[in-house]
Amino acid sequence: MIIVLWVPFANASPIDDAAEYSVRVKSTVRYAFAGEGTGTSDGAGFLIDKTRGWILTNAHVSGYGTGDIEVSFKDHGYHNAKPVYIDKELDIAVIEVLAKNIPDESSEAKLDCGDRPLNGVAVAAFGHPHGLTYSASRGIISKVR
C-alpha cells in the first residue's frame, strides 16, 4: 500500500509547506516486547485530522504503541501523544495529541488515496534525517512493486 501525500506547494518552498502539517515524533520504549528494542527514537509524521488531533506516522516511529510517544510541531515544544491505530505489517500508525496542543498555524495534510497509476508521479519526502529538521527532498515514483 502506498499513500501519496498531495502537496500543492502554495508557498515558495516545500519545506515551508511541510512545516504547516509535519511533526517530529519521539517515542521511548522502556520495556521491550517480543524481542523488540528499547530506547528512544525520532521520526516524522503529519497531521491528518486537526479536530481529532490525529497524526499519521510509521508504526516503527511510534514504537509500535509499546512506549511513550511525544509530538512536536515546528517551533513548539513536545506534547504527549497516544496510539490510536498501529499496523505492524503495513508499518503505519495513527497517533493522537490533544487538539488544544495543535498550533493555530498548523493545517491538515491532503492525502491522495485514489487508484490512479503511480509510476512517474512526482512526490516529496519530509522528515528530520541526521538532525536536519523539517527538511524536504523531491523525486518520482519510478515503479510500484
Side-chain angles (χ1 to χ4, degrees), residues 37-97:
T38 60
T40 299
S41 62
D42 191 34
F46 51 92
L47 184 64
I48 58 171
D49 190 320
K50 192 170 183 177
T51 303
R52 291 181 176 145
W54 286 4
I55 294 165
L56 183 65
T57 188
N58 295 102
H60 73 269
V61 170
S62 73
Y64 300 106
T66 61
D68 298 323
I69 306 170
E70 296 178 290
V71 171
S72 171
F73 291 84
K74 187 172 184 182
D75 299 326
H76 295 273
Y78 281 93
H79 294 283
N80 291 329
K82 65 180 183 178
V84 173
Y85 176 79
I86 308 287
D87 188 322
K88 289 177 74 170
E89 294 299 317
L90 296 176
D91 195 23
I92 292 177
V94 175
I95 59 176
E96 177 183 14
V97 296

Side-chain angles (χ1 to χ4, degrees), residues 115-140:
D115 59 355
R116 64 188 167 104
L118 295 176
N119 292 348
V121 170
V123 294
F126 302 102
H128 318 286
H130 308 292
L132 298 172
T133 59
Y134 296 93
S135 64
S137 62
R138 294 182 191 212
I140 63 166

Side-chain angles (χ1 to χ4, degrees), residues 4-54:
V4 177
L5 183 61
W6 177 70
V7 183
F9 297 119
N11 294 323
S13 163
I15 296 172
D16 293 336
D17 288 331
E20 294 177 6
Y21 52 78
S22 65
V23 300
R24 292 184 76 179
V25 179
K26 181 170 56 171
S27 64
T28 303
V29 176
R30 289 183 179 83
Y31 307 103
F33 178 75
E36 294 174 358
T38 60
T40 299
S41 62
D42 191 34
F46 51 92
L47 184 64
I48 58 171
D49 190 320
K50 192 170 183 177
T51 303
R52 291 181 176 145
W54 286 4

